């Protein structure tokens, strides 16, 4: 799954994603996106949220457009929700089976992209294990094509960040004053990075990153957040607790990384440990979740858990993003 190609880090990913008309053309990162834009996207997504059991929100706003889902890493939630989002907006959706694609015969990722572009694909949704891929592709596609980052190595997962913000806002409409605690393998987590940047932009002043020392991020990477290896310290009075799995597939040297029992004993989110959190604290997990490792099964299924709500919001957020980039590219 790891791409054999290497990709230069974009000098300015944040500005690359904006069209000359000021609109959002690509979604590559939440870092440095303006608060007003995040609020607009959350508001738009909220319109697409409907309760399970009712008819899912839909429109034909993307009728005539073609979306290609290119997942060079495994996915259940992100891929399925982009697929459903595109179809519920009336687009043609191509889910390329990358394991049976000509990349296996040595075709470069850009030649794959140019091939799809020649078939009138307007939006490409990319997940890749290599850092820099979404920005690299965004710099090389035709003007009418938009690139959406669906998970980039350990760097960024902006649609996950947006669905996390939407879920938090549904419980706590005012971000100011919230304490949000992210627990787990922060070092290798694109989810943690996108969530932390989005929360910071939305005005959350108390963002806590809790992990064993070997899974901590660089001390200066997110200067707006507090780092600790103490779960109890991190959970005290927290309003939002986000659990992460250990991304063993991204760790070359597992020496010093806690084993399953050790991790659960010290960092597993259990009902007992949540006693120090705020009374109305919610528990989140981006999935896929490992019950009995990073989260007690009873907590995952408890009234505090908003994990399935996050999944539902994922479709709504991706519908909002798809509509937004089409609106940007077609706007005069
Ligand atoms: N949260 C997330 O990205 O899940 P998937 O890997 O299943 O898409």
């Amino acid at each position: 799954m790891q791409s054999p190609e290497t990709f230069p880090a974009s000098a300015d990913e944040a500005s690359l994603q904006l069209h000359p008309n000021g609109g959002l053309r690509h979604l590559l990162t939440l870092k440095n996106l303006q608060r007003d834009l995040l609020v607009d996207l959350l508001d738009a997504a909220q319109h697409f949220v409907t309760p399970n059991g009712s008819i899912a929100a839909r429109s034909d706003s993307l009728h005539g457009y073609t979306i290609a889902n290119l997942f060079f890493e495994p996915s259940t939630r992100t891929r399925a929700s982009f697929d459903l989002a595109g179809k519920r907006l009336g687009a043609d959706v191509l889910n390329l089976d990358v394991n049976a694609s000509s990349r296996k015969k040595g075709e470069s990722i850009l030649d794959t992209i140019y091939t799809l572009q020649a078939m009138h694909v307007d939006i490409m949704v990319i997940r890749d294990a290599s850092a820099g891929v979404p920005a690299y592709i965004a710099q090389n596609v035709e003007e009418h094509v938009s690139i959406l980052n669906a998970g980039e190595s350990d760097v960024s997962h902006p649609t996950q960040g947006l669905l996390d913000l939407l879920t938090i806002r549904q419980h706590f409409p005012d971000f100011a004053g919230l304490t949000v605690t992210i627990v787990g393998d922060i070092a290798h987590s694109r989810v943690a990075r996108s969530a932390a940047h989005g929360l910071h932009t939305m005005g959350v002043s108390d963002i806590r990153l809790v992990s064993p020392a070997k899974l901590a991020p660089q001390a200066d990477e997110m200067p707006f957040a507090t780092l600790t290896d103490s779960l109890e310290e991190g959970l005290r009075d927290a309003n939002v607790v986000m659990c992460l799995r250990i991304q063993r597939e991204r760790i070359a040297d597992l020496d010093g990384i806690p084993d399953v029992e050790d991790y659960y004993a010290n960092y597993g989110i259990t009902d007992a440990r949540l006693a120090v959190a705020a009374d109305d604290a919610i528990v989140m997990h981006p999935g896929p979740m490992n019950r009995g490792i990073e989260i007690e099964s009873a907590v995952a299924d408890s009234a505090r858990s908003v994990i399935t709500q996050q999944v539902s919001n994922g479709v709504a957020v991706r519908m909002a993003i798809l509509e937004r980039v089409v609106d940007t590219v077609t706007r005069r």
Side-chain angles (χ1 to χ4, degrees):
M1 274 168 292
Q2 187 75 22
S3 169
E5 301 157 81
T6 56
F7 305 95
S10 167
D12 191 357
E13 229 181 7
S15 63
L16 174 63
Q17 55 196 347
L18 298 180
H19 192 276
N21 67 17
L24 187 74
R25 175 183 162 198
H26 308 292
L27 182 62
L28 307 175
T29 177
L30 295 189
K31 210 171 170 178
N32 299 327
L33 274 189
Q34 298 295 310
R35 186 171 188 269
D36 288 354
L37 175 57
L38 296 187
V39 171
D40 272 3
L41 290 171
L42 297 182
D43 290 346
Q46 187 62 49
H47 284 295
F48 288 122
V49 175
T50 50
N52 268 343
S54 64
I55 301 288
R58 62 182 67 239
S59 84
D60 62 357
S61 58
L62 263 64
H63 178 73
Y65 290 87
T66 303
I67 302 165
N69 288 326
L70 309 173
F71 281 70
F72 299 104
E73 276 193 317
S75 169
T76 297
R77 282 147 284 271
T78 313
R79 179 174 163 157
S81 58
F82 263 116
D83 187 11
L84 289 172
K87 286 171 178 163
R88 288 178 186 166
L89 294 173
D92 295 328
V93 181
L94 168 70
N95 289 296
L96 190 74
D97 180 356
V98 293
N99 288 319
S101 81
S102 287
R103 281 201 84 194
K104 293 284 175 195
K105 294 185 266 183
E107 187 166 60
S108 73
I109 195 161
L110 265 195
D111 283 329
T112 305
I113 297 299
Y114 293 152
T115 299
L116 295 170
Q117 195 172 250
M119 295 179 193
H120 212 306
V121 169
D122 305 288
I123 300 171
M124 303 197 197
V125 178
I126 314 270
R127 170 172 288 194
D128 199 281
S130 297
V133 168
Y136 175 66
I137 294 171
Q139 286 169 301
N140 284 284
V141 288
E142 291 174 6
E143 274 179 19
H144 68 280
V145 176
S146 292
I147 302 302
L148 305 182
N149 178 353
E152 174 191 2
S153 184
D154 59 9
V155 177
S156 180
H157 194 351
T159 58
Q160 178 72 43
L162 285 168
L163 76 88
D164 290 338
L165 292 179
L166 182 62
T167 306
I168 293 170
R169 195 178 75 164
Q170 288 165 347
H171 290 267
F172 303 105
D174 185 3
F175 284 94
L178 283 184
T179 294
V180 180
T181 301
I182 307 178
V183 182
D185 179 6
I186 311 289
H188 303 99
S189 177
R190 56 195 178 204
V191 172
R193 289 187 170 80
S194 286
H197 284 294
L199 289 163
H200 177 57
T201 302
M202 295 304 294
V204 177
S205 55
D206 191 359
I207 301 170
R208 304 175 187 172
L209 305 178
V210 180
S211 64
K214 283 280 262 185
L215 299 175
Q218 297 293 321
D220 58 354
E221 188 192 332
M222 291 174 266
F224 49 80
T226 306
L227 273 51
T228 177
D229 63 1
S230 163
L231 182 58
E232 184 174 346
E233 191 183 304
L235 289 181
R236 189 163 298 283
D237 301 323
N239 306 103
V240 177
V241 179
M242 188 183 295
C243 324
L244 305 172
R245 72 183 176 90
I246 298 181
Q247 309 236 335
R248 292 185 191 276
E249 70 275 23
R250 301 193 200 286
I251 306 175
D253 177 10
L254 289 167
D255 194 35
I257 304 296
D259 63 22
V260 166
E261 290 77 21
D262 190 14
Y263 186 84
Y264 187 64
N266 291 292
Y267 292 96
I269 299 300
T270 64
D271 198 43
R273 289 208 172 98
L274 286 169
V276 299
D279 290 344
D280 59 351
I282 58 170
V283 175
M284 307 177 73
H285 195 306
M289 111 181 115
N290 297 291
R291 291 170 184 256
I293 302 179
E294 66 265 12
I295 186 167
E296 185 178 36
S297 195
V299 171
D301 299 328
S302 71
R304 286 184 187 280
S305 170
V306 296
I307 296 168
T308 55
Q309 188 179 344
Q310 288 174 268
V311 176
S312 299
N313 286 333
V315 181
V317 156
R318 284 150 187 141
M319 290 173 80
I321 294 292
L322 290 168
E323 275 203 341
R324 177 57 63 113
V325 296
V326 165
D327 177 65
T328 297
V329 170
T330 55
R331 198 188 314 158
R332 302 211 179 269

